[in-house]
Amino acid sequence: MDVALIAKDVVAFLMPVLPFLVKAGEKAVEEVGKNIGGEAMDYAKALWAKLRPKAEAKPALLEAVNDAAAAPEDE
């Protein structure tokens, strides 16, 4: 199992919806889910629910997540 490859895929999957997962309320997340497909959004929310506590436990990681959410088009 290549962890770097998995991490890259997770980031690619979450980036389009990360701003909504990080900063928006449940209503906004539901609206985005309607646009990208409910099942995909359900997976994104479930994945973020697992990753969020780890991000919140590490200030540098949380800052990186917030920076990515603020500018998702900036690689």
Side-chain angles (χ1 to χ4, degrees), residues 8-72:
K8 181 179 175 186
D9 289 344
V10 167
V11 169
F13 177 70
L14 286 179
M15 280 311 298
V17 295
L18 191 61
F20 302 99
L21 294 171
V22 171
K23 297 183 180 188
E26 187 65 28
K27 185 79 169 162
V29 171
E30 287 177 17
E31 288 301 315
V32 171
K34 290 177 186 174
N35 292 333
I36 67 164
E39 191 172 328
M41 194 62 189
D42 290 343
Y43 285 126
K45 288 191 308 188
L47 183 56
W48 181 240
K50 290 187 181 285
L51 295 174
R52 182 182 209 135
K54 293 176 183 355
E56 290 174 344
K58 297 182 179 183
L61 178 55
L62 185 58
E63 181 180 349
V65 167
N66 288 329
D67 287 348

